[in-house]
Amino acid sequence: MIGGCARWPLRRPPVAPPPAPAPARPVPYPVFETHAFARAVERGTRTRTGEPGPKYWQQFARYRIDAELVPATSLVNGRETVRYFNRSPDTLRAVWIYLNQNLFAPTAARVESTPVTGGMEILRVAAGGQALARRDTGAGYAVNGTLMRVSLPRALTPSDSLDLDIAWAFQVPPDGAPREGTTRGGDLFMIAYWYPQLAVYDDLTGWQIDPYLGTAEFYMDYADYEVNLSLPQGWLVGATGELTNAAEVLSSQTRARLAEARRGGGVVHVVRDEDRGAGSTRATNTGFDGVVTWRFRATNVRDFDWGASSKFLWDATIAVVGDRDGDHKPDTTVVNTFYRPEARRWAWDKSAAYERNVVEFLSSYLWPYPWQQMTALEGPVSCSGMEYPMLTCIGGPRDTLSLYSVQVHETAHMWFPMQVGSDERRYAWQDEGLTRFNQAQGMQAFFKGYDRERISREAYLALARTDSEVALMRPGDQYPVGTPAYGIASYDKMSTNMSALRALLGNDTFMSAYRTYGLRWLWKHPSPYDFFNTFDTAAGHDLSWFWRTWWYETWTLDQAIASVTPLNGKLAVTIEDRGLAPMPVRLAITRSGGAVERREIPVDVWLSGARRYTLALDAPATVAKIEIDPENAFPDIDRSNNRWVAGPAK
Ligand SMILES: [Zn+2]
């Protein structure tokens, strides 16, 4: 009180004690933008409505790579020329290059154990035609773990380009290496993270040079590739991009069967058991000195990778992907699968039919698959399931459910992050969580009655019950090692968040916002805020409370029916929100005749700080059952308090 004088009575009149307050609850505070995002909005590269800003830019590169694989020694020798286009408004005095293969170098920092090789040996670096020395000051290059810094002899100004020449060699790691490697017999290689790749320079972070430590995945700029791969004749290669010299590489028999597959009508066994065997050249042509060079081209992809085997069989078919070029006619893509004969026991003889099915499903659920081909290949066990543009590597024992599951998951990555190029290293949920959700949609469509969303929800809840959950908004390498925290947050909790978001917005608004997010950021780099802002715009209101609760915190949801009592001719139903995560309460009230009424307590009740809400139902005698969220739309941690059933009539 200001300017007055309080006059206190000598004795206070007696008053009734106030009712015991409900326990305090946190009310989610808003999602705060990072400084980098606010600056990007100011500069016009991003917006607060979720679309890219009018001044959005990103870098671009053109790679020409010549490489050979010597299977007998597991050696890869490579040489590349890269033209790097500076589309940023900044002058660059140095460029950074990812040397991901150095994850296996003896001295590399790692968050998980891997086989050790010599890492990547850099044999030559030249910038603008000028050979550079390895040194720490002045023009030259310096290698630190999985990163190389090239200090340029001449600064790279905006709109200018830079030519780099790099030569390198490395030994392919054995099986046990994450996402790549060779099998014990040396008859199969998955070659990934295998060439010096320009690091991402973007409008939010500048150079994104978080090292590759093994767990967290990748962030890559889009580029064009021309890649020439030399291997012994008879070896088959599955790769990103399109083969441009089929006539030179493939035998006439192989080409004829491929042409048959492209005409449609089912799976064609392009290379069969009888075409294989030591020294057989029924699959490929004979090469000069026994070496064949496969020439591939890929445009506007975030990476180029390949796998090869002397034992691969090859199945092919086509998938119908919908209208991708706007001429109102369905388009197709070629589907290839490669596997060794022994992988038949792991269901690989079904792989081409499965791959066609998943490409078609995802094309209709999201938007048409954009490329001319999609390849799934059987790789070393430690590939487990891994995605590269137009290519997946799948290893290890499988049954039909497991093979379909991993094919639909890895193929779903062709959308996130291959087309929608988010930063996986910092925000794994932006690709893995969306992919887990899309995988669930595919599995539920294929295996009728199979509830893949439930598996994710229960996996998340099981960890949440142990109090060792870690929030989603965290770089992938910063989760506790040796625990499920990273996987649950990035995959299963995020998938569950998408299911909850769909229930919250309704399927139509959700799907429209989901596709809008993807199509807005096609071939671009969306940040988490671009995702949040797109859904906020589509919903027509701020969903900060939802993002804050499920992305930034480890709060859990526990809605409960606290009491059901007759009151003044009605039935008073008291709902308590016992957890920390606020969500609307979806009630189903079943009457004795079987009719079901739906009621909803809006989330605003909890957002205003309440813990308890009472609603009054008419005709109390006819209420047979009350249930919170019978559809499992939201991940309630304790469902034992979600149901009330009327006792026997008196
Ligand atoms: Zn994945």
Side-chain angles (χ1 to χ4, degrees):
M1 185 177 284
I2 297 169
C5 195
R7 229 164 36 85
W8 293 95
L10 281 176
R11 293 166 73 113
R12 296 182 188 207
V15 291
R25 65 164 308 143
V27 174
Y29 49 93
V31 171
F32 297 120
E33 284 172 355
T34 56
H35 295 299
F37 189 83
R39 198 176 54 229
V41 172
E42 221 168 88
R43 292 180 179 171
T45 59
R46 311 255 161 179
T47 66
R48 294 200 169 90
T49 46
E51 65 263 80
K55 294 192 174 155
Y56 180 82
W57 54 265
Q58 66 195 32
Q59 306 291 68
F60 192 74
R62 275 198 199 111
Y63 291 82
R64 191 205 142 106
I65 304 177
D66 293 281
E68 64 167 344
L69 167 65
V70 185
T73 54
S74 294
L75 275 176
V76 170
N77 291 299
R79 189 193 159 135
E80 68 185 10
T81 60
V82 190
R83 180 158 291 178
Y84 181 60
F85 298 86
N86 183 12
R87 294 175 176 174
S88 82
D90 309 323
T91 294
L92 306 176
R93 292 172 207 290
V95 295
W96 288 83
I97 290 173
Y98 298 140
L99 303 180
N100 288 328
Q101 196 59 220
N102 275 346
L103 178 69
F104 308 111
T107 56
R110 285 182 282 265
V111 294
E112 54 186 69
S113 68
T114 70
V116 173
T117 65
M120 186 179 265
E121 191 186 353
I122 297 295
L123 304 169
R124 170 185 154 87
V125 178
Q130 181 182 334
L132 299 177
R134 185 167 180 161
R135 62 178 176 214
D136 293 332
T137 55
Y141 70 96
V143 175
N144 181 3
T146 53
L147 294 161
M148 174 162 76
R149 181 178 194 267
V150 180
S151 298
L152 302 174
R154 203 167 52 80
L156 176 59
T157 52
S159 309
D160 202 357
S161 66
L162 164 74
D163 287 338
L164 290 166
D165 277 285
I166 306 176
W168 73 95
F170 68 93
Q171 183 149 35
V172 180
D175 200 349
R179 310 178 179 97
E180 59 177 296
T182 179
T183 53
R184 191 180 303 177
D187 58 13
L188 191 167
F189 290 79
M190 179 64 220
I191 311 290
Y193 318 108
W194 63 287
Y195 62 95
Q197 181 185 32
L198 263 299
V200 174
Y201 183 82
D202 73 15
D203 64 317
L204 291 172
T205 311
W207 289 108
Q208 213 295 27
I209 48 173
D210 298 355
Y212 177 36
L213 299 175
T215 297
E217 295 193 311
F218 306 95
Y219 187 33
M220 296 163 166
D221 257 325
Y222 289 93
D224 290 347
Y225 290 82
E226 250 187 72
V227 181
N228 305 318
L229 303 172
S230 297
L231 289 100
Q233 64 195 28
W235 282 63
L236 288 175
V237 179
T240 300
E242 283 172 73
L243 182 65
T244 60
N245 66 335
E248 216 176 301
V249 170
L250 303 177
S251 68
S252 54
Q253 172 184 278
T254 302
R255 277 179 283 136
R257 289 176 182 165
L258 262 183
E260 188 192 335
R262 281 166 198 264
R263 282 194 292 273
V267 174
V268 174
H269 302 298
V270 175
V271 174
R272 305 171 185 175
D273 297 76
E274 62 266 26
D275 304 323
R276 306 309 270 157
S280 168
T281 54
R282 292 172 67 170
T284 70
N285 286 330
T286 51
F288 180 73
D289 270 352
V291 172
V292 171
T293 298
W294 298 61
R295 299 182 190 281
F296 291 93
R297 183 179 298 142
T299 54
N300 205 34
V301 287
R302 70 203 289 274
D303 197 9
F304 183 100
D305 303 278
W306 51 291
S309 174
S310 56
K311 291 173 76 181
F312 271 159
L313 306 176
W314 184 353
D315 288 349
T317 183
I318 54 171
V320 181
V321 299
D323 176 22
R324 97 180 127 212
D325 50 16
D327 65 358
H328 305 290
K329 286 188 211 130
D331 295 299
T332 60
T333 197
V334 175
V335 164
N336 302 294
T337 66
F338 294 93
Y339 55 94
R340 294 171 297 173
E342 55 264 41
R344 281 200 186 97
R345 69 178 187 272
W346 297 337
W348 274 86
D349 49 344
K350 301 195 170 53
S351 60
Y354 284 178
E355 194 59 35
R356 174 182 59 208
N357 178 279
V358 303
V359 167
E360 291 182 348
F361 173 80
L362 292 162
S363 293
S364 83
Y365 185 67
L366 294 167
W367 58 86
Y369 180 84
W371 295 299
Q372 300 298 321
Q373 68 99 3
M374 174 69 213
T375 294
L377 61 82
E378 186 231 342
V381 175
S382 59
C383 255
S384 183
M386 186 59 205
E387 70 279 9
Y388 322 87
M390 307 178 219
L391 177 69
T392 66
C393 177
I394 296 169
R398 306 270 165 197
D399 58 15
T400 48
L401 179 77
S402 161
L403 185 67
Y404 186 91
S405 166
V406 70
Q407 282 189 254
V408 68
H409 179 101
E410 305 314 331
T411 305
H413 277 306
M414 298 308 125
W415 281 260
F416 305 94
M418 296 310 161
Q419 296 178 63
V420 184
S422 59
D423 182 345
E424 304 167 76
R425 190 147 302 162
R426 292 191 181 178
Y427 311 107
W429 59 268
Q430 257 181 302
D431 78 302
E432 292 298 357
L434 299 183
T435 294
R436 175 71 94 216
F437 178 76
N438 295 336
Q439 170 194 354
Q441 308 318 308
M443 294 193 75
Q444 290 168 181
F446 190 73
F447 300 102
K448 307 283 181 227
Y450 184 78
D451 188 353
R452 185 63 186 76
E453 287 174 72
R454 181 178 64 86
I455 294 173
S456 279
R457 185 174 64 245
E458 288 183 356
Y460 149 64
L461 287 171
L463 185 69
R465 288 188 191 102
T466 67
D467 286 324
S468 45
E469 197 205 333
V470 178
L472 270 76
M473 284 294 271
R474 194 175 178 84
D477 289 315
Q478 294 179 19
Y479 283 80
V481 174
T483 77
Y486 163 76
I488 292 295
S490 309
Y491 292 68
D492 294 306
K493 183 173 179 181
M494 179 57 196
S495 173
T496 304
N497 289 354
M498 291 297 279
S499 305
L501 190 55
R502 181 183 57 198
L504 207 57
L505 302 181
N507 190 57
D508 291 352
T509 304
F510 169 81
M511 282 312 300
S512 152
Y514 189 14
R515 290 194 188 107
T516 299
Y517 163 69
L519 294 171
R520 276 178 174 176
W521 291 95
L522 212 51
W523 320 119
K524 296 189 175 71
H525 298 314
S527 77
Y529 305 98
D530 303 310
F531 177 90
F532 300 149
N533 288 338
T534 296
F535 275 90
D536 280 352
T537 306
H541 53 266
D542 182 9
L543 294 167
S544 265
W545 61 271
F546 183 75
W547 315 128
R548 171 60 61 187
T549 298
W550 297 108
W551 270 253
Y552 291 81
E553 308 291 347
T554 54
W555 296 340
T556 54
L557 172 74
D558 184 16
Q559 300 172 340
I561 301 174
S563 64
V564 179
T565 45
L567 186 70
N568 303 331
K570 307 231 178 193
L571 198 63
V573 181
T574 298
I575 304 297
E576 274 182 10
D577 194 32
R578 294 178 180 168
L580 297 180
M583 291 292 275
V585 183
R586 302 222 159 139
L587 286 162
I589 297 131
T590 309
R591 298 285 178 175
S592 45
V596 179
E597 296 160 21
R598 301 304 303 246
R599 299 281 284 269
E600 178 155 331
I601 302 171
V603 71
D604 304 314
V605 169
W606 314 133
L607 295 180
S608 67
R611 275 284 187 196
R612 220 170 265 143
Y613 184 87
T614 300
L615 50 92
L617 302 180
D618 290 329
T622 67
V623 176
K625 188 173 77 175
I626 305 171
E627 193 172 0
I628 298 174
D629 186 24
E631 291 85 11
N632 281 296
F634 305 138
D636 194 312
I637 201 164
D638 179 3
R639 301 199 80 90
S640 70
N641 53 28
N642 283 27
R643 264 165 73 100
W644 174 89
V645 181
K650 290 184 183 128

